[in-house]
């Protein structure tokens, strides 16, 4: 068993299909407790740190995460990646997340000091500094959780929503007759959601 091209492999080299698992190839899955549910608009699901999880989108959607750039998780991100022996291409992700500013080749799963050094570099990297969160976290002054739309420097959720919709329409509906209809839906929903999400707190 192991990892190949970012996928979990059985001893015979077969890749795990999480939504249609082969228990002959992965017999340990018979002992795994699985929680399954459907998340709808407005729902939030908590996934404990390090928990294996899978997501199946049943319709066109988009997702965004900023976990690796949230300062309190920087050390955890580096540690999990390193101690998994850089599974699922996370070594490259560590390098790319911090714009190549921090040395990843020196990370050693058996030497915690290498993870500490990487974390210090990551927190002071251009990627984190430009987001304006790392400095306040390191100095323990004025750090607060922020919304994803604030992270990307939008002045309101509605503006962020419209920008995301625009990209989504560009990718999926450029040549479709449904384009104008989808654009109208986007604008309506962004306006409604924007009214619920307010302005950044100071």
């Amino acid at each position: 068993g192991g990892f190949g091209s970012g996928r979990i492999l059985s001893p015979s080299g077969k890749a795990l299909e999480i939504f249609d698992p082969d228990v002959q190839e992965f017999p340990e899955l018979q002992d795994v407790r699985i929680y399954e549910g459907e998340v709808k608009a407005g729902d939030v699901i908590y996934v404990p740190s390090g928990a294996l999880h899978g997501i199946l989108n049943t319709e066109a959607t988009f997702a965004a995460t900023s976990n690796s750039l949230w300062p309190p998780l920087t050390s955890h991100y580096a540690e999990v990646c390193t101690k998994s022996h850089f599974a699922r291409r996370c070594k490259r992700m560590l390098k790319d997340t911090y714009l190549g500013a921090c040395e990843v080749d020196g990370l050693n799963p058996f030497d915690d000091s290498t993870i500490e050094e990487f974390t210090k570099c990551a927190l002071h990297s251009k990627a984190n500094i430009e987001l304006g969160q790392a400095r306040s976290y390191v100095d323990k002054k004025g750090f607060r959780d922020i919304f994803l739309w604030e992270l990307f420097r939008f002045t309101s959720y509605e503006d962020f929503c419209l920008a995301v919709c625009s990209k989504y329409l560009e990718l999926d509906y450029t040549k479709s007759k449904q384009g104008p209809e989808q654009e109208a839906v986007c604008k309506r929903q962004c306006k409604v959601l924007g009214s619920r999400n307010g302005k950044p707190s100071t």
Side-chain angles (χ1 to χ4, degrees):
F3 290 88
S5 302
R7 307 189 77 189
I8 299 173
L9 305 178
S10 71
S12 68
K14 184 172 181 179
L16 171 63
E17 297 296 339
I18 196 65
F19 292 105
D20 186 21
D22 184 337
V23 292
Q24 297 288 327
E25 290 286 326
F26 300 93
E28 62 271 35
L29 289 178
Q30 295 177 87
D31 300 320
V32 173
R33 179 179 292 176
I34 297 173
Y35 297 93
E36 184 177 327
E38 183 177 348
V39 179
K40 298 181 180 177
D43 290 346
V44 174
I45 185 167
Y46 169 71
V47 180
S49 178
L52 294 176
H53 59 283
I55 298 168
L56 177 65
N57 295 314
T58 56
E59 57 188 48
T61 187
F62 70 89
T65 180
S66 59
N67 286 352
S68 56
L69 278 172
W70 192 53
L73 287 182
T74 303
S75 176
H76 181 69
Y77 178 42
E79 182 181 5
V80 169
C81 177
T82 303
K83 292 190 175 180
S84 71
H85 297 275
F86 309 105
R88 302 186 64 77
R89 295 172 287 188
C90 71
K91 190 172 196 175
R92 179 178 173 188
M93 290 181 207
L94 276 179
K95 183 176 181 180
D96 291 349
T97 296
Y98 304 105
L99 308 176
C102 304
E103 181 56 53
V104 294
D105 291 331
L107 284 166
N108 182 339
F110 305 106
D111 183 355
D112 287 347
S113 68
T114 63
I115 298 169
E116 289 169 16
E117 286 303 310
F118 181 90
T119 300
K120 285 179 192 171
C121 175
L123 284 170
H124 293 89
S125 69
K126 183 179 179 184
N128 254 327
I129 289 169
E130 286 191 353
L131 291 173
Q133 287 282 288
R135 175 60 59 195
S136 59
Y137 176 70
V138 171
D139 295 341
K140 296 181 173 51
K141 294 177 183 174
F143 176 78
R144 66 177 179 86
D145 292 349
I146 63 174
F147 295 108
L148 191 61
W149 52 272
E150 290 180 88
L151 188 66
F152 288 99
R153 308 288 172 93
F154 283 88
T155 56
S156 70
Y157 178 85
E158 186 174 351
D159 290 343
F160 169 71
C161 181
L162 289 169
V164 171
C165 271
S166 175
K167 182 55 72 174
Y168 166 68
L169 292 169
E170 178 186 317
L171 294 173
D172 287 353
Y173 288 97
T174 303
K175 297 177 182 174
S176 168
K177 291 179 181 177
Q178 294 176 309
E181 180 185 336
Q182 289 297 319
E183 184 176 11
V185 169
C186 263
K187 285 181 177 177
R188 279 197 311 273
Q189 290 185 341
C190 286
K191 191 167 187 65
V192 170
L193 292 170
S195 67
R196 296 177 188 164
N197 283 279
K199 295 279 181 188
S201 55
T202 56

